[in-house]
Amino acid sequence: MRLPASLIRSPEVTKKEKWLGYLLGPAGALLLNAVLATYLNVYYTDVLNLTPLWGGAFLTVFPIVSKIIDAITNIIMGQVIDRTKTKEGKARPWLFLSAFLVPVTGILLFTVPESSDTVKALWVMISYNLFYSFAYTIFNMSHNLMVPLSTRDGTARGGLSVFNQITTIMMSGILVALVFPMVIMPAIGVDKSKWITLMSVLSIIALPLTLLEYFFTKERVTEEKGEDADHGLDFGAQLKLLFTDKYMVLMYVYFFVYTVGTTLKNLGLVYYCNYVLGTYNDGHTQTLVSVIGGIPMGIGIFAVWPLAKRFGKRNVTMVGFILYAVGSLICWLFPHTMWIVLTGQFIKNIGGLPCAYVFMALFADCLDHLEWKSNIRLDGAAMSIYNIIAVAMVGIMTGVFNWMLAKAGYLAPVEFREVAEKAGQLPWSEASSWLTGSGLTPQVALDLLEAKDGVYTVALAQPQSVTWVISFAFVGIEVFTGIALIAILFFLNVEKKLPEEQAEIQARREAKNAD
């Protein structure tokens, strides 16, 4: 199959490449993924009411098992990318394919049929793995390699990393964290049909934007390697090279610790705003938390890269994590007090700026160091391990979080209809007596609730054990991960000799071409 050609021809990184390929292009798939990271578990627990399924075991075990499958497909995809040789590069062809796969599988995630618990469970498991273990793995692997494969120019590569992260932060920090809790979530509530419509639209948007990323990116590093890109090493030998390099090991440990913290935080966000700091879908609590978190991210666009160039990516990130841990601790000590939580969130997100914007540039530096050391480029294998950590921790921590919720006694919202329509749906007139008889307490007075499409959604007051679990997930865990990350970064001084190493790589290549 002949692939469409890239619209980028320049040997140097261009403005069009930055704005269209790295800022706008990834926006569709990243928006979909950001929404799923925050709300897919909410869909499972509150809309499909799967928390009690199989005694709470389903939502605990299924994410972990699914991520084992995802880890395997990441290994396979990394090998496939490293062995792909086309005029359009080795990662970009798969980016093209993912543009069509991500929308289809994204829609399937939410179109769970109304049937038995067994059918629902099977659909959830199959659709989840089609999206994460197949379609999004292909997108994420190829997308994440765009920065390392774009250029060897450290300044240009750092700029692309910043542009890339701006998109990620805009999707999660503005649209998902601001617009969704303030406008969209109160409007759709726990109405399954509205969820399906919304997620179908978001999935379809990913198609043209991912194609934009394909057409406005260029793999300059792949082009310089030519036919020598096929190193002939089996995966075991590649792993040996990766895990005998101290900087790659430190980078993976760093990413592992960071992902544990951020995954639990992302999972806990909606629950924390609904049950600890505010009330269910109140339209303002999550918005306030997200605005305070988003302001530092906006400032960081202009501040982080100049600081990183002057003081080093590692050093700026390490200092940032001191603030990160302090801000998280402030929130954890006073989880119910709005102004203190907002202050802590502001401090924490100031500290998280360097990590958010320069991580992929630092990862690319480690890849260059490994190439200097071994004379072999292992982009696909290195990225597969990176993605395995990401997906495995998402699955494991999702399972852990759901297990903690179930054991703590999480209570899903209850629906009442103005008029009973069929068995199992209680009329609003019976709501108070039913709740009292079941020993349940509504989070807010029933007379303050309004019906949406004839349905009243009653959020229940959670036991203290549940609010503790939620608070630990959202604000507590990152106190510990922040401290651990400072210690790891202390040893990650890959930038120190990088210019000399890159110059030697260039000299080797020129000598080989001369022969």
Side-chain angles (χ1 to χ4, degrees):
M1 176 182 176
R2 184 179 178 84
L3 292 166
S6 171
L7 299 178
I8 300 296
R9 302 282 192 270
S10 171
E12 307 297 332
V13 174
T14 66
K15 289 183 178 180
K16 186 182 294 186
E17 189 174 354
K18 290 180 180 179
W19 288 95
L20 297 179
Y22 288 85
L23 185 69
L24 183 58
L30 292 179
L31 171 59
L32 178 60
N33 185 59
V35 172
L36 294 178
T38 305
Y39 293 108
L40 181 58
N41 203 66
V42 176
Y43 183 72
Y44 290 157
T45 60
D46 292 6
V47 180
L48 300 182
N49 194 25
L50 296 178
T51 301
L53 184 60
W54 302 346
F58 177 71
L59 286 185
T60 300
V61 176
F62 127 76
I64 298 174
V65 174
S66 296
K67 291 309 176 182
I68 293 173
I69 299 172
D70 200 354
I72 294 171
T73 59
N74 270 275
I75 293 173
I76 295 171
M77 195 62 215
Q79 296 302 289
V80 169
I81 288 176
D82 269 340
R83 286 166 170 74
T84 298
K85 292 188 287 185
T86 73
K87 290 183 178 180
E88 298 306 316
K90 60 182 181 179
R92 288 180 60 254
W94 299 103
L95 192 62
F96 182 80
L97 177 62
S98 72
F100 302 94
L101 294 176
V102 167
V104 174
T105 55
I107 293 171
L108 290 176
L109 279 171
F110 291 85
T111 52
V112 181
E114 291 295 337
S115 187
S116 66
D117 286 345
T118 300
V119 171
K120 287 181 180 179
L122 286 172
W123 189 283
V124 167
M125 288 187 290
I126 294 170
S127 62
Y128 188 93
N129 281 285
L130 282 175
F131 181 83
Y132 281 108
S133 302
F134 181 55
Y136 199 76
T137 288
I138 295 174
F139 167 80
N140 204 36
M141 288 281 290
S142 49
H143 163 73
N144 283 333
L145 281 172
M146 287 300 99
V147 170
L149 293 175
S150 62
T151 178
R152 288 192 189 275
D153 184 323
T155 300
R157 189 160 63 189
L160 291 178
S161 178
V162 170
F163 267 74
N164 214 27
Q165 284 306 108
I166 289 172
T167 302
T168 302
I169 291 163
M170 284 176 62
M171 294 304 103
S172 60
I174 297 178
L175 288 176
V176 176
L178 300 185
V179 177
F180 268 70
M182 185 167 57
V183 178
I184 295 177
M185 297 314 297
I188 67 174
V190 291
D191 188 318
K192 183 179 176 182
S193 63
K194 291 180 180 178
W195 277 82
I196 293 173
T197 300
L198 170 67
M199 298 310 301
S200 296
V201 171
L202 293 181
S203 297
I204 292 168
I205 289 173
L207 172 56
L209 290 178
T210 305
L211 289 177
L212 197 66
E213 181 178 4
Y214 170 80
F215 282 109
F216 288 93
T217 51
K218 183 178 177 66
E219 294 184 27
R220 296 174 182 83
V221 174
T222 303
E223 290 175 356
E224 76 186 23
K225 297 295 289 182
E227 293 300 317
D228 294 332
D230 187 3
H231 44 66
L233 296 178
D234 61 32
F235 187 63
Q238 294 173 50
L239 286 181
K240 184 177 180 180
L241 285 176
L242 288 169
F243 285 101
T244 53
D245 182 86
K246 67 176 182 179
Y247 293 130
M248 291 304 304
V249 171
L250 284 169
M251 180 59 73
Y252 287 140
V253 174
Y254 165 92
F255 186 59
F256 170 84
V257 173
Y258 179 75
T259 304
V260 167
T262 54
T263 301
L264 266 185
K265 176 194 69 178
N266 290 337
L267 288 165
L269 170 62
V270 177
Y271 299 89
Y272 178 80
C273 293
N274 282 346
Y275 295 111
V276 179
L277 194 60
T279 56
Y280 195 81
N281 282 347
D282 59 28
H284 65 269
T285 301
Q286 191 177 336
T287 300
L288 284 173
V289 171
S290 301
V291 166
I292 295 301
I295 290 173
M297 291 301 175
I299 297 171
I301 296 173
F302 306 101
V304 170
W305 188 242
L307 289 172
K309 285 197 294 184
R310 181 172 181 180
F311 299 106
K313 295 185 283 291
R314 187 279 305 256
N315 294 336
V316 171
T317 305
M318 188 161 56
V319 171
F321 275 120
I322 297 174
L323 296 176
Y324 193 85
V326 170
S328 297
L329 180 60
I330 291 171
C331 295
W332 198 24
L333 291 174
F334 305 94
H336 304 282
T337 307
M338 177 69 78
W339 73 268
I340 296 179
V341 169
L342 295 180
T343 301
Q345 285 292 298
F346 186 84
I347 294 171
K348 188 190 91 167
N349 284 290
I350 286 286
L353 281 171
C355 174
Y357 282 114
V358 303
F359 172 80
M360 195 49 66
L362 192 59
F363 186 80
D365 291 346
C366 292
L367 285 175
D368 281 359
H369 168 78
L370 181 63
E371 182 181 2
W372 166 80
K373 179 180 176 182
S374 64
N375 203 28
I376 293 174
R377 190 86 188 176
L378 295 175
D379 301 288
M383 189 56 65
S384 67
I385 302 302
Y386 167 91
N387 276 0
I388 285 170
I389 294 171
V391 300
M393 286 305 99
V394 168
I396 291 171
M397 300 318 295
T398 299
V400 169
F401 180 71
N402 286 327
W403 176 80
M404 290 193 299
L405 284 183
K407 290 300 179 182
Y410 175 74
L411 303 171
V414 181
E415 281 190 348
F416 296 90
R417 297 190 174 272
E418 290 181 320
V419 178
E421 296 176 354
K422 60 182 180 180
Q425 294 181 327
L426 294 174
W428 182 238
S429 59
E430 298 179 12
S432 181
S433 58
W434 184 86
L435 289 168
T436 301
S438 302
L440 302 173
T441 304
Q443 189 184 48
V444 298
L446 296 182
D447 57 2
L448 297 179
L449 298 177
E450 295 182 0
K452 289 184 172 60
D453 297 330
V455 178
Y456 290 87
T457 300
V458 179
L460 304 173
Q462 299 293 339
Q464 186 177 356
S465 55
V466 173
T467 60
W468 187 92
V469 164
I470 293 169
S471 296
F472 175 76
F474 183 64
V475 295
I477 184 66
E478 291 188 316
V479 175
F480 303 101
T481 58
I483 294 170
L485 290 165
I486 294 167
I488 295 166
L489 284 166
F490 180 80
F491 299 97
L492 190 61
N493 59 340
V494 66
E495 299 165 273
K496 187 175 181 180
K497 296 183 179 180
L498 190 63
E500 292 88 346
E501 292 172 357
Q502 288 179 331
E504 187 171 333
I505 292 171
Q506 176 70 17
R508 290 176 191 167
R509 187 170 62 253
E510 291 176 352
K512 188 170 185 178
N513 290 337
D515 293 339

